[in-house]
Amino acid sequence: MQTRHIGCACAFLLLAAVTGVILHSLWFSYTFVIQVDGEPSPQRSMARADLHLLAGGSNLSPKAFYCPLLIQEKGWTFSQRGKPMRQRPIDVLYRSSNCVPEREALVSTLRQYVEDAGFNFVASGKCVAGGNRSPSAAGSRNWGECNECQDAKMIVSFENYADGLEYLSEKLFLPLEFGAVPLYHGNGHRLMHACGVNTERVIDASNFPDYSLFCQHVVDMLRSPWRLQELADRDYGDLCFDKLWEPVEQFTSTLPRVQSLARKRKIRVLAWAQPPRMQSWLPRVLHVDSSRIEYVSMGPYDVVLVGCCFGPTTLPGKFIPV
């Protein structure tokens, strides 16, 4: 008799689990799906997404939009210039958490130029560009923490991007937050202009016919402290990230699913991914007042947020049928 009860209990639990998966699949098929990605390439298929928000890129699909969420997450204000260049002991700082071979090779060449000229190159992140992690760097291995940035004259802002897919991460903006000069290598120039960046305050590798000339220019600037200070004193530009939500709002206003949601009294939102300041921009994207949004931990739900790399997930990702 006890064996029969155990068997019935197991069968019930299995049935409940299968039913839960089926219900989640049904809810998901009628749900408005917002996919958020913080990396250059999405870590899940975009096929099911109704809207794709990219913290770095913009042209992966007609449904994809550039929204620099990582900058919002860090709360950067770009209001402080910090120390003058002559008081900064680090000449070039390299801080990266994704050690892709292409970027490591480029930064390694830059490092050799800088060190051969007798200047101080510091690698304080997870990646070291052919050298060792500098013991003098007081920074954490967490990329978002950068105590040593205030001591750097120049900070490497080399993107991990794919040809044909424009990309601009928070790396360009890290030096600006600490008053340093960005050393840029990437293909996010259109996105820079969209953000209002003054590109004349950036040392951009694409402005040189050869990468070696870019490296030599970095050394030449370090040899001319007054020129470097003059560059650092230039205006950052008219930095504005809020306007980047306008094309997103225009796009979602035309979607029948969003128009249908607008007629609901309450909109239930399940946030598997938890991007920063979601409570402020989600009502704009859905064209409803924030009071009508209810955040839930299980179904049924009207809107679901999925994707990578923002905060803990509420439920296991394996239940997301995409």
Side-chain angles (χ1 to χ4, degrees):
M1 181 66 71
Q2 185 177 3
T3 303
R4 180 180 297 177
H5 285 162
I6 293 174
C8 290
C10 290
F12 177 78
L13 290 174
L14 179 61
L15 178 62
V18 171
T19 303
V21 171
I22 293 173
L23 285 174
H24 277 291
S25 299
L26 288 173
W27 288 327
F28 204 91
S29 64
Y30 292 100
T31 296
F32 185 75
V33 179
I34 301 175
Q35 181 168 330
V36 183
D37 278 295
E39 296 296 328
S41 299
Q43 297 189 8
R44 65 172 69 247
S45 169
M46 297 186 299
R48 180 61 187 85
D50 298 293
L51 174 64
H52 197 191
L53 301 179
L54 299 164
S58 71
N59 63 340
L60 288 179
S61 79
K63 300 176 182 178
F65 297 87
Y66 173 61
C67 299
L69 299 169
L70 288 169
I71 296 173
Q72 292 182 320
E73 182 181 50
K74 299 179 191 310
W76 291 340
T77 62
F78 312 103
S79 59
Q80 302 295 325
R81 291 286 178 155
K83 304 175 185 176
M85 294 294 106
R86 67 179 182 277
Q87 294 180 10
R88 298 179 180 228
I90 300 174
D91 294 307
V92 176
L93 175 66
Y94 177 43
R95 185 152 186 80
S96 187
S97 59
N98 189 359
C99 310
V100 293
E102 296 84 357
R103 178 164 56 198
E104 284 288 278
L106 288 168
V107 180
S108 179
T109 299
L110 175 62
R111 179 178 192 148
Q112 185 173 351
Y113 269 81
V114 171
E115 292 183 338
D116 286 351
F119 292 105
N120 184 21
F121 187 106
V122 170
S124 68
K126 294 179 180 178
C127 312
V128 296
N132 298 311
R133 188 171 189 268
S134 302
S136 61
S140 162
R141 288 181 183 270
N142 180 349
W143 194 92
E145 299 175 5
C146 191
N147 294 329
E148 63 272 33
C149 286
Q150 62 186 337
D151 291 324
K153 297 180 179 76
M154 301 176 174
I155 298 179
V156 176
S157 303
F158 284 21
E159 299 287 16
N160 172 26
Y161 65 96
D163 289 339
L165 298 177
E166 63 179 356
Y167 184 76
L168 183 68
S169 73
E170 71 282 6
K171 286 182 174 60
L172 175 74
F173 300 97
L174 174 70
L176 301 181
E177 173 64 13
F178 290 92
V181 173
L183 304 179
Y184 182 74
H185 184 283
N187 68 350
H189 301 88
R190 188 188 69 83
L191 300 177
M192 280 190 213
H193 289 290
C195 294
V197 175
N198 176 16
T199 55
E200 292 184 357
R201 199 191 175 280
V202 178
I203 300 179
D204 185 351
S206 69
N207 291 331
F208 298 84
D210 185 82
Y211 182 70
S212 63
L213 296 177
F214 163 75
C215 295
Q216 185 59 53
H217 179 73
V218 171
V219 171
D220 292 342
M221 291 295 288
L222 290 171
R223 286 173 173 159
S224 303
W226 67 270
R227 290 176 60 200
L228 183 58
Q229 186 63 61
E230 185 181 65
L231 178 60
D233 288 340
R234 290 183 181 178
D235 188 73
Y236 291 167
D238 184 20
L239 296 179
C240 182
F241 305 104
D242 189 65
K243 64 184 178 183
L244 297 175
W245 289 101
E246 293 175 5
V248 183
E249 294 178 73
Q250 293 171 5
F251 171 74
T252 56
S253 69
T254 66
L255 301 179
R257 284 195 180 190
V258 173
Q259 295 169 356
S260 176
L261 287 173
R263 294 190 288 269
K264 285 179 169 285
R265 179 174 297 179
K266 280 288 184 182
I267 300 171
R268 293 169 61 87
V269 175
L270 177 61
W272 267 302
Q274 298 176 9
R277 301 190 183 180
M278 176 176 60
Q279 287 83 358
S280 66
W281 56 258
L282 186 58
R284 295 177 58 178
V285 169
L286 298 178
H287 302 276
V288 296
D289 187 84
S290 59
S291 62
R292 295 172 56 192
I293 294 179
E294 178 184 358
Y295 294 94
V296 300
S297 59
M298 62 178 63
Y301 41 81
D302 305 298
V303 177
V304 63
L305 281 84
V306 298
C308 169
C309 311
F310 294 99
T313 54
T314 318
L315 294 172
K318 64 183 181 180
F319 289 116
I320 305 176
V322 294

